[in-house]
Structure formats: C-alpha cells, structure tokens
Amino acid sequence: MVSSLLRTTTTKRLSPSLLRSRGYHDESFGYRKPPTFAFPDYTEAQLQNRHTNAALLRYVDSVRTHAHRAARIDPLDLIHRESEVAALNPGRYGLPVSDPGAKLNVNGIIWTNPEVEEQRSSEEEWMSMEEINRRLREVYVGRIGYEYMHSPSKTERLWFSHLLESNSVPASAFQAPELRKRIHGLLARSEVFDNFLQLKFPNLKRYGLEGGESMLPALDSLFSSAARAGLSNIIVAMPHRGRLNLLTDPELLKYDSTALFYKIKGGSEWPEELIGEAGVEGDVLSHLISSAHLNYHSNSIKVSLLPNPSHLEAVNAVALGKTRAKQYSLLRTSPETCQLGDKVMCVQLHGDASFTGQGVVMESLGLSGLPHYTSGGTVHLVVDNNIGYTTPIAQARSSQYCSDVGKMIGAPVLHVNGDYPEDVARALHTAFLYRQFFRKDIIVDLLVYRRWGHNELDVPNFTSPLMYEKIAERKSVPRIFEERLITDEVMTEQEIDSVRKTYRAHLDSALAALPEHKPSLSSPTSPVSSTNLEMKSSWSSITWPTSSSALPDPDTGVDLDTLRELGKASVKVPEGFVVHDKVGRFVKARLGALEGKGVDWATAEALAFASLMSEGTDVRISGQDVGRGTFSQRHAMLVDQRTEGVVVPLNEFLPSSGGAKVGKLELANSSLSEMAVLGFEYGISWERPDLLPIWEAQFGDFFNGAQIIIDTFVASAETKWLKQSGITLLLPHGLDGAGPEHSSCRLERWLQLTNDRFSPSSSSSNANAESTINMHVVFPTTPAQFFHLLRRQMKRNYRKPLIVAGPKALLRLPAAASSLEEFEPGTKFQPVLPDPSLVGKEKEAKRVLLVSGKIYYDLVKERKEKGLEGKVGIVRVEELSPFPFRELGDVLNKYDLGSGKEVWWVQEEPRNQGAWPHVQERLGNVEVLVESGVQVKYWGRKESALPAPGIGRLYKEQQERVVKGAFERL
C-alpha cells in the first residue's frame, strides 16, 4: 500500500529557471538539486466531477483544513477549543444532510484507492453522505490531527490527502499484538525507571518522562521505519525532558545504568585518565550521550544522541551540520540519483515552549531547504506539555499551536494524543514517509502532560492548580495502556507484572554494582582510546591534544613553484567565460603578486586553500557573501556576466600534490543568520576532522548573534564532552571610523572565554603546556601569518577552534603584503613578530611598543614621520591565546630592558576592551619583565561603553591621540 504509493508516483524534473529566478550560487560544489515530484493530475472526468460536485469539494477541503480543531488530541482536554467547528458541518455547503442515504460521486474529490495510477480512473464512484462523513471523520477527527493544507505545494497536499483517505497507513497495522507488547515494554520500563530514581535519589532533578512516556514508542517507530527504509545513521538532538529514559532503555540507546548511577552519585562520566592534565571537567547528568546500533527485523541502524547545553534548541543547528557532514562523500562521488537523506536522517526533539520561543528554531528551519545546508529532511518531535516551566500556553505563544512556527517553511504538522501510543507510532511512521518521499522537514506535535513540575523538586500547583488537580486524578499513561491490553487480551496481568519486575531487578543489580564501577577508555561512550589517547572512529587519525604524540607546531611552508601554480589555478578563467571588468583586474593583480609584487590577504587565503586541497583536504567556508567576500576581496567564485553561470576555479583547475586526491572547496553563501549558521558549521566540524570548516562573519561585530553557540559549544565542548573541533572563525576587526557595530569582534570576550594560563608555570606539568587551552585567538598582521594559521589547522594531528580577528583595511594595504618567500618550506606561524627594522639594533631603542593587529602599521608610519626608527621598537603579539610567554620573552631579551627602558602596550580599542584585559596580568609574568622590574604601561583609548565612537570627528581625534601619543617624550 504505502510502498506502492512510493513506487508508482512519477518524478519529473523541473527547469532550474522555474525553481528560482537566480540560481547560480546553487551550481557550485556542495549543492545537489532535490528531486521535484508531480502527482498524477486529475482526469477530465474527475475535473468535471469536481465542477459538478463543487459543494462536496468545498466540504471535503474544509474538513482537510479544519478538522484538526475538532480532533481528540489533548489528553487533558485543556486546550481551548470551539464547542463546534462550523466548517465541519456539511449542511453549510448545501449538501443533502437531511437524506444521509443520498449518494454523491466522489471520484476526484475523495481518494479511496491506495494505487496512485489506478486512482486516475474516470469511472464514477458513489458514496452516501453517511459514508462520506464517516470516512472523513475516521481520518481527520480522530486522535491524530493533520495540518497540511497550508502547503504551497499541490503535490504535497495531494500526497497527504491520498495517503490518509485511501488508508495507506491503516491503524490496524499498529494494533498487532507483538507491536503493542513492544510498546508496552517501552512505557513500563520508563515508568519503572522514573519511580526507581525517585525512590533511590529523591532529591535528584532528573527531568523524568512521567506523562510523556509515549515519546519512547514514537522514537522507536521512527527508528524502525528508517531502518527498514535502508538508512544507516540517525542523528538525534534533544533537550533534558525524558533524556535519561531514552538513554538507559535497553531497547533504545542502551546507556549503562551503573554508569548513570555513578554520575548521579557525583562521579565522572569520563575516565580518570582524562581528568586533570587532559583538561576534562565533564557536564551535568541531563546532557549525557550515547550511540547504539539498533536492529529492526534484521535491519541495523546507528542512532547517535548528541551532547547538548542547557540552552534549549541550541543543539538543533549542530545536529543539522553533523547530519550533512556524514553525507559529504555522497556529494563528491555518487550519481545525481543518490540524494541527501538516503542514508542519514536528523531527528530533533523539542519542548513546546522552547519550540515557540527560541529564535534558533526559526533560523534552523530556514536552513532546511537551502542549497548548502539541507541534510535531506528532519523529523521534529515536539513533546508538548502545554506549559513552559510555569508559563501557561496563553502567555507562552501568540499562535494556536506551538508547531505553527514550522508553517514558515510549509512543514506539515501531525498533532497526536500521547495517551494512545499506537496512534503515536502511526503518526511517526507517517511523518517518516513524508520525509522520505519529499526530503523535507515535518513536525509531529505529541500532546502529553508533565506529571511533576519543571523538575521533580518543583511545585507546579503554585501557578497551575487546576491543571495539576486534573493530572493528579488520572492514572499514568503506562497504566492506562496496560488496562487496554488486558481488555483486548493481548497481555495478562502476570505478564505485565513480569515486565515491570524484570526491569526493576535490572536496575537493582546495576545499583548494586556501583562500588566496582570505574569509567574506562574502552567504554563505547568514550571518544578516546586507551592507546596513547588516540581518537576513535572517523577521528582515528587524530590524537588527543595532551597526547605525547601531539604535534602542535608543524611545518606549514609550501614549495614556491607549487604555490605559483596553485595561485594561477585559483583565478583561471574558462575560455569564453566573461567576468566583470573589476574582477578581471583582480585576476591580473593576483597573477602579478605571484611574480613578486607582494602577496595580499585574499591571495594568501587562496594559496592556503589550494595547497590544502591539492593534498586531499576539503575546505568549506560559510557565511554571508563568502563567495565574493564582504569587501569584494575573495572572488573564489566567478560569475559569467552574460549568463550568470558560475565557476569555482579551485574546483576546476587545481592540480594534485604527489598523486593525492584533490579536495573540494564548498562556498556556502548563507542566510542572514549567525546562530544557526555557526552551529551548523560547528556540527560539521564534529563529524569531519579532515575538512577545514570556516565561518566568516560579515563584520566581526556580528558574531554576538551566535553567542550561545560560542559559549556552550565552541569554547567549552572539549572540556565538557571530549569533543574536538577545528572550526575556524574569521571575524573582520579594526577601528576605521565605521562606528560601534562595524569595528570590533570583541577580542576581550573571546579571550575571557579561553582557559589560557596566567603564568607559564601555572599550567600542568605536561610537556605541551598549551595543549589544554581550549582555543586559539589570533590577530595576525601579515598575509603569510594568515596562510600558516589556516594550514596549521589541518597539519596538526589534533583539532582546536581558531578565532581570527581578521583584516579590513589591511586587505589591500601595500605595507601589509608578504613576500612569497614567507610561504616557503621551513616557514610557519610566529606567535610574536619582532620589529624587522631593529634586528640586531634592539639595544638602541628607548621604548618598546607591544601591539596586536592593524594599529602596527599606523605606528610604523608615525614613527617614520617622526624620525624615530632607531629609538622605538614595535613588537607584534600575533597570538593572544595561548599567550606566548616564551616567544615574547625571547624577543624582549634583546632590548636590554634593565637599562631604564619603557615597555608600553598600545591598542586602538578602549581600555576595557581589546586585548589589554587579557594581557595585562600575563605581561607581568613574562620572565624578562619580571627580572628587569619593568612595569608595562597601557596606552590607548579610555574606557568606553562602545567599541568605537559613531561621531566621525571624535573617532579621528581619538585615533590620532593614540597613535601620536605612543611617541611622546622621545
């Protein structure tokens, strides 16, 4: 039935020009055109009947549209509903309600045949009004409410109405005794588990599933449908509610119950070997993870639950990115008939209040159909308690349903009553069929209740006494289900009791084993192996940062002839391809740079990408306008001015290095989102250590739209969850008169988020003391430094986030250009750059200016104008975290600081911002400064509530004071 629906529906490709008026971005690598489906259209006879029986057609469409308002979907019956939905009254449409036996031709109006092609019959099909009403009410006014008529797609509306009205997914299929017994096991074990924890750990905030136990059969049905369809992986994102129930169920994620109890008692989820020197501190109970291989009728599927922060819904975009990354090889090697979602599916669980209230939900839904962000369709399961913490729905949302936010992308919604687990399982199977057929998102709104408050120690009666009076009076969902099983003679009381006692005995045994439990590196949940702290699975080529085999400072130089060849390939224009005149000049400038005229930032970046790709590394850069670049500096994607055809030269003309497979560059021009897009790229970085993932902010200031992702994932995932990431953030930074929101990537915030040591001796005794520092924050001043940083990200055998305060004014500044020799073998990134004009003459300097970033060039220019080249040294601190104690000390040692010389820290950012709050104490612990007794003086703007002034005159006055004042009294 369902299989025949999928098999016989025809697929028709539509012209790209019909899909989008401008589609040239879509044609670059990483975009796979989704199939477009055309449902068989009505026959002439059906169209004529729809005209003849227009009143019946209006009535049927009205039922399809409005019946969810009358469906019995609320277990507590507390949702405000009309006493009668007038749109469901056939009498309002002029139909013969007074004669229930009157027959009408329903051909082309109501679907009765599961076979799609046979449904096109021109033969008349007669049903009485009584039969019509009964069929429509059985389908649409039951315990599942359907919303799909809002879809702008005629094919999707037809698909749904045909699937439902032809009974292609019959309710009887979910009443099979064995299935009902399996459902019972899930419900009963969940209740036993919650009762056990309440008894043994009464003060625990466990965020149990009481009232929402149907979540487990919902997921079980979804996993089963996916396994039978041939999927191999499911990525699950979920909040805390019911997480422990899902984790520990022996038929689902199979997390060791003893390990859970160990964590509850204050123990670690990670082995002791990783705590301390390895820098691991773990996370709370409700964020635990597991991956399990599940088998459904000999079909195996791996289900992976991602770690999540307490910030609800933040993990959604991370899950989407990880899901897409698992399919990356598909984009490179498979035929077009193989689609995203064939093997991997994202499943997201939500709470009703957060699904409505958190903006990242909208941002993530907005990514779902974009060319470089779709992962093949997500199934969303909203565990709908009809309350958020203590806030009732009337104050939690402005829409009727919490799922209404999904209508922004035309997602269908299935509302289902959680008191009826068989219907829940059927709803999830239906949702999977839609996702599998259209590869689009769909939402299941699982209406349940929360027996306790937000947590088990809360008293919900304070604010919702009537709701909780009703909850207290009713039996639990598992007990109600058990009564039905006994009535239907599916199970006996003894069998039911046996299920509960068996699982209780299992939990007792797991708790008794607690004294002998010790987390081990060999545990399936540990991403690190016991062999020299090497990583597992797809990370097997990567080591843990504190491992003795870690390589923190690899050689990143490249042969010059190779660089010239790669650079030419980066701007090669196909024959007959017409580029914009300014892009033509850009191409000529790059070719000139390769011949010794000085390498600018965009060229250095292209050389880094190209050299990595020629060695087999893939690169993905994501963000707003990344193909061209915010400042028209990149032009990694060329557009034909006549046809809007696109070419990415590095994907077309790049030679390989030593026979290696050439990598691909994915230019993912994003929606106007920061939080979801950065989360997506971060999820990619979790899955693929062999890819350089980059997120570029349009301006560095705009990163704060993604602050939750930064705080809870980028900065802390390694310490909490043992998750390495090579995510690279490019954040254009620098005061240039553009005002408060186009000047600063807030270096001070990034540096505050690091766990950088305050002195060289305060770190662990590990030989690689920097290895426990959570991320690198850099402010490079030359294109060569930027080149080496990008290559270092991939040449290391471990991964750390890299935060680059990137250039704006320096992008085309001739003084900032690098020579090609700075890229050759033997060169690498330098955390500190000495003053090139004082090499060998450092002792002659009277003052040393320590700087970071673009102000270096302003100071060099001012020094020259004042004729102070030999009297002032300007030293650049290029890497702010980890703070370069040794490298800075080596440079300052040459200045003979014991002879009364001054050392100033100079920055253009306000005193309470920029690098100064981070470096102030650390500079005091640089050995040469300690021994010489020199106190570093701050010079720069005063404290400010703004990163930069918005008044142009004020900006110029402040900037001039900072630059000129650095040379006062000399």
Side-chain angles (χ1 to χ4, degrees), residues 182-201:
R182 181 175 176 86
I183 290 173
H184 170 256
L186 294 166
L187 298 176
R189 287 193 298 270
S190 180
E191 185 168 51
V192 169
F193 175 79
D194 279 326
N195 291 342
F196 184 86
L197 290 186
Q198 185 65 33
L199 177 66
K200 301 295 184 179
F201 308 101

Side-chain angles (χ1 to χ4, degrees), residues 30 44 127 157 171 190 238 403 600 610 656 658 668 709 711 713 735 758 868:
E44 286 298 324
M127 295 176 66
R157 297 194 304 272
S190 180
M238 74 174 295
S403 53
D600 64 10
S656 67
I709 298 294
D711 290 347
F713 287 96
L735 278 66
F758 280 86
L868 296 172

Side-chain angles (χ1 to χ4, degrees), residues 5-14 19 34-42 116-117 120 153-159 437-438:
L5 174 67
L6 299 178
R7 183 174 61 249
T8 59
T9 300
T10 57
T11 302
K12 181 172 69 177
R13 295 281 183 181
L14 299 182
L19 295 175
T36 53
F37 300 98
F39 207 83
D41 204 355
Y42 304 102
V116 175
E117 291 298 334
R120 290 168 52 84
S153 167
K154 168 189 164 186
T155 293
E156 292 183 32
R157 297 194 304 272
L158 283 173
W159 184 90
F437 194 75
F438 293 103

Side-chain angles (χ1 to χ4, degrees), residues 237-241 312-313 316 348-358 361 381-388 397 402-403 405 445-446:
M238 74 174 295
H240 47 279
R241 178 77 53 209
L312 298 174
E313 310 291 347
N316 297 355
Q348 296 180 16
L349 283 82
H350 315 272
D352 53 309
S354 60
F355 197 60
T356 296
Q358 293 295 308
V361 172
L381 177 60
V382 183
V383 181
D384 188 347
N385 300 308
N386 276 311
I387 193 171
R397 61 178 183 259
C402 64
S403 53
V405 64
D445 178 21
L446 174 60

Side-chain angles (χ1 to χ4, degrees), residues 474-492:
R474 73 191 329 264
K475 294 179 181 179
S476 71
V477 173
R479 291 298 187 186
I480 293 173
F481 187 66
E482 288 170 349
E483 290 178 356
R484 291 203 293 267
L485 292 179
I486 294 171
T487 299
D488 296 343
E489 298 183 348
V490 174
M491 295 182 73
T492 65

Side-chain angles (χ1 to χ4, degrees), residues 450-717:
R450 195 181 65 195
R451 183 164 290 277
W452 311 113
H454 176 67
N455 60 68
E456 289 70 24
L457 306 184
D458 190 26
V459 182
N461 307 65
F462 288 160
T463 51
S464 301
L466 297 183
M467 171 186 273
Y468 277 88
E469 180 181 358
K470 201 162 191 175
I471 292 172
E473 292 172 350
R474 73 191 329 264
K475 294 179 181 179
S476 71
V477 173
R479 291 298 187 186
I480 293 173
F481 187 66
E482 288 170 349
E483 290 178 356
R484 291 203 293 267
L485 292 179
I486 294 171
T487 299
D488 296 343
E489 298 183 348
V490 174
M491 295 182 73
T492 65
E493 289 188 31
Q494 292 75 20
E495 289 172 327
I496 287 170
D497 195 45
S498 176
V499 171
R500 289 176 171 269
K501 287 182 177 179
T502 299
Y503 194 54
R504 171 58 192 261
H506 162 76
L507 295 175
D508 283 329
S509 176
L511 185 61
L514 193 56
E516 290 77 39
H517 179 75
K518 183 179 181 182
S520 169
L521 288 171
S522 61
S523 166
T525 59
S526 174
V528 182
S529 73
S530 57
T531 308
N532 197 27
L533 298 183
E534 301 299 326
M535 302 295 288
K536 295 179 183 177
S537 188
S538 61
W539 285 73
S540 58
S541 63
I542 303 298
T543 190
W544 189 249
T546 58
S547 166
S548 60
S549 62
L551 301 173
D553 195 25
D555 186 358
T556 51
V558 178
D559 176 75
L560 296 188
D561 289 337
T562 299
L563 285 177
R564 292 188 183 96
E565 185 180 10
L566 298 175
K568 291 175 183 177
S570 72
V571 288
K572 185 174 181 178
V573 180
E575 185 176 349
F577 196 95
V578 180
V579 298
H580 193 279
D581 290 344
K582 290 186 176 180
V583 175
R585 292 196 291 272
F586 168 87
V587 170
K588 291 179 181 178
R590 176 161 297 178
L591 294 175
L594 298 171
E595 297 305 321
K597 294 184 179 179
V599 176
D600 64 10
W601 290 79
T603 300
E605 178 189 78
L607 292 176
F609 290 173
S611 58
L612 289 170
M613 292 166 65
S614 70
E615 297 162 355
T617 296
D618 295 318
V619 178
R620 175 182 161 103
I621 180 168
S622 167
Q624 297 145 25
D625 313 305
V626 295
R628 184 202 73 173
T630 297
F631 309 101
S632 295
Q633 84 282 6
R634 181 170 291 123
H635 293 295
M637 176 185 71
L638 306 180
V639 179
D640 192 305
Q641 296 300 293
R642 298 173 304 174
T643 67
E644 287 196 344
V646 67
V647 64
V648 177
L650 286 179
N651 284 337
E652 302 296 331
F653 309 114
L654 197 63
S656 67
S657 174
K661 179 180 67 175
V662 177
K664 287 290 188 179
L665 171 62
E666 184 171 9
L667 299 168
N669 285 305
S670 78
S671 64
L672 196 63
S673 156
E674 284 78 40
M675 183 172 178
V677 173
L678 176 56
F680 191 97
E681 303 310 316
Y682 188 78
I684 286 177
S685 76
W686 269 2
E687 180 63 28
R688 292 203 59 209
D690 58 338
L691 174 140
L692 175 59
I694 301 173
W695 178 69
E696 180 177 64
Q698 195 174 58
F699 284 82
D701 315 64
F702 303 157
F703 84 90
N704 55 14
Q707 193 70 57
I708 289 174
I709 298 294
I710 292 161
D711 290 347
T712 61
F713 287 96
V714 177
S716 57

